[in-house]
Amino acid sequence: MKFEDLLLDIGGFGRFQILILLLLCFPRINLPMHFLLHNFLAATPSHHCAIPHQEAFVNFTTEELLLISIPREPDGTFRSCEMFSQPQFYLLLNSSLQPENDSIIEHCKHGWVYDHSQFASTIATQWDLVCEQRGMNQATATFFFIGVTVGAVIFGHLSDRYGRKALLLLSLLGSLAFGMLSAASVSYAMLAATRTLTGAALSGVSLIVLPLGMEWVDVEHRTLTGILTSIFWSIGNILLAMAAYLVRDWRWLLVAVTGPCLLSIVCLWWVPESARWLIANGNVKQARRHLLRCARVNGRKDFTISTEALKRMTTEKSGHSYSYLSLFRTPVLRKISLCSGAVWFGVAFSYYGMSMNLTGFGLNMYLSQFVFGIIEIPAKLIMYVLVNRVGRRQSQAWTLILTGLCIGANIIIPKSFTSLRSVVAIMGKGFSEAAFTTVFLYTSELYPTVLRQSGMGYTSFVARLGGALAPLLLLVKQPLQDAALEGTALQGQPK
């Protein structure tokens, strides 16, 4: 008897499975609240150089003080990172004039003044991670995803060796502890370290939740399980927008998104270990207890099975131990691993590249986060129909192609067409999430049970490399914008 036949006997998608999936949805909701937290945690509000107090400035208004102290961009806005070495009082008579000598312009020497109308505080305002230090601001997201990358390797292997539930509990405990330590950070170095460790811990949640639920579900309902579980990621996206809108201080926002880990830990008490994993690793007595409990909850009270029958289902290991090298030992596994890794990198790079550019598509950042979360839900429901009708492979390919077309279109569309850019961006986000949903489902079905978590760990490792690189794109974006502004200014000068 195969394990799939055993699941049909005890009820492959009954009340027991539904209860497990609901309990596992709580940690799933918490994931995007941390994975996309950088958008609000490290948001950079409008700022300009702090102007030292002088007696001559007593009767000046704020606008006049800025006019004589801060140089302006060609579009008329005040520069964020430069100031005049001496007040330029003549600008009060004619503000359209601009200094011809750039030697009187210098970098900020006295700190910065921030606009707190939208954010009470962020890590950018906490440690002045702007101008020359803005790379450190974006690097916090990269540090987080480096942690996720390392965690994918660790948890992927260990959960195949020591079990899904034990490693999921360890992951949640680590996420709770390091998340709270992040909120209490007294220096940028402490924040970078604790966010990296938080990412490593959360990687276990990301890797284990979906396979743990799916290993209790029969083949017929596996696609539905993957889609429904992934919907709670989108719910987490929506809740992040609401939490960030209500909590404008970065420390309390970290507490708000980390606290639910405690609820997930409590819910895990009622989640059993994967019976499929227990049988594959020879622990048939515990597997039998869980299977009998499943049958009882599903109303199959006449079900019975002996430990001897389960022992015959145990995977024959013959002293063989599995590692990440096992993913490349046979031609078939080698092909699956190499192709899956390339797909995961592309999916993650495009998804996080769009998700971390909330202000780039013409919408308010809170509204962008909310809409980006909403659009993912119909995208997932549509994928449920498509993966069953046209297959995983075709669905994966076309969602990636359409994502790329939307990103390419937004590069071409002028920024003045804000409504059109917003619509195309929302469509691209929907396709990107559809691609992510499919790749999780597709990959988990390609690997055998004894290598499933190692396979998911490896592909997640490659994906997180894409996620770690995505925030760094914003560092390239600013120099390009500055070059465009300089080009505009030069066009208006005589040749």
Side-chain angles (χ1 to χ4, degrees), residues 270-480:
W270 291 278
V271 177
E273 178 58 273
S274 166
R276 186 188 296 265
W277 179 85
L278 290 170
I279 294 172
N281 286 270
N283 194 344
V284 294
K285 290 184 179 180
Q286 188 177 353
R288 182 175 180 272
R289 288 199 302 270
H290 291 325
L291 290 169
L292 291 174
R293 175 188 167 198
C294 175
R296 185 174 64 254
V297 174
N298 286 343
R300 307 289 179 91
K301 296 181 180 179
D302 56 342
F303 170 81
T304 183
I305 191 170
S306 65
T307 55
E308 288 73 18
L310 292 177
K311 285 179 181 178
R312 290 195 292 271
M313 297 172 59
T314 302
T315 302
E316 293 293 338
K317 294 187 177 183
S318 62
H320 181 71
S321 61
Y322 296 95
S323 67
Y324 284 108
L325 292 177
S326 303
L327 301 175
F328 300 91
R329 277 180 179 158
T330 68
V332 173
L333 283 172
R334 198 155 45 240
K335 180 180 178 181
I336 290 172
S337 298
L338 292 175
C339 292
S340 296
V343 172
W344 275 74
F345 181 89
V347 169
F349 190 75
S350 59
Y351 180 87
Y352 288 107
M354 298 182 70
S355 298
M356 294 188 173
N357 189 24
L358 293 182
T359 59
F361 303 114
L363 293 175
N364 172 280
M365 67 183 306
Y366 299 104
L367 181 59
S368 291
Q369 179 68 39
F370 185 82
V371 173
F372 278 4
I374 289 288
I375 195 62
E376 291 182 0
I377 295 177
K380 294 173 190 290
L381 296 177
I382 292 171
M383 290 314 298
Y384 173 64
V385 177
L386 288 180
V387 294
N388 285 319
R389 298 217 172 180
V390 303
R392 274 70 160 156
R393 186 178 180 183
Q394 290 288 333
S395 299
Q396 187 73 77
W398 280 107
T399 50
L400 281 171
I401 290 170
L402 292 171
T403 300
L405 289 175
C406 289
I407 293 174
N410 247 339
I411 295 174
I412 299 171
I413 298 173
K415 290 192 174 182
S416 56
F417 293 83
T418 54
S419 297
L420 180 60
R421 285 174 58 84
S422 298
V423 171
V424 173
I426 291 169
M427 290 175 58
K429 186 60 165 57
F431 289 130
S432 179
E433 176 55 34
F436 226 137
T437 301
T438 307
V439 78
F440 257 106
L441 181 65
Y442 195 10
T443 306
S444 64
E445 293 177 346
L446 289 174
Y447 288 106
T449 301
V450 291
L451 285 174
R452 182 167 294 124
Q453 285 300 104
S454 293
M456 294 295 288
Y458 154 72
T459 51
S460 183
F461 170 82
V462 178
R464 302 318 169 193
L465 291 178
L469 291 174
L472 301 181
L473 286 179
L474 299 179
L475 295 179
V476 179
K477 175 184 172 184
Q478 187 61 44
L480 291 176

Side-chain angles (χ1 to χ4, degrees), residues 143-211:
F143 290 144
F144 175 83
F145 280 105
I146 288 174
V148 175
T149 303
V150 175
V153 178
I154 296 172
F155 282 99
H157 175 66
L158 293 182
S159 59
D160 269 340
R161 187 170 182 179
Y162 298 107
R164 296 6 179 177
K165 182 176 178 179
L167 269 295
L168 180 56
L169 177 60
L170 178 63
S171 176
L172 287 169
L173 288 171
S175 303
L176 179 64
F178 294 127
M180 291 302 181
L181 282 173
S182 296
S185 295
V186 295
S187 67
Y188 176 79
M190 180 179 175
L191 176 73
T194 53
R195 285 296 288 166
T196 303
L197 293 171
T198 303
L202 282 168
S203 185
V205 180
S206 176
L207 281 175
I208 299 170
V209 166
L210 183 59

Side-chain angles (χ1 to χ4, degrees), residues 16-32:
F16 183 82
Q17 282 82 1
I18 293 173
L19 176 62
I20 290 175
L21 294 175
L22 288 175
L23 291 173
L24 290 176
C25 284
F26 288 103
R28 186 71 176 169
I29 287 174
N30 204 226
L31 281 175

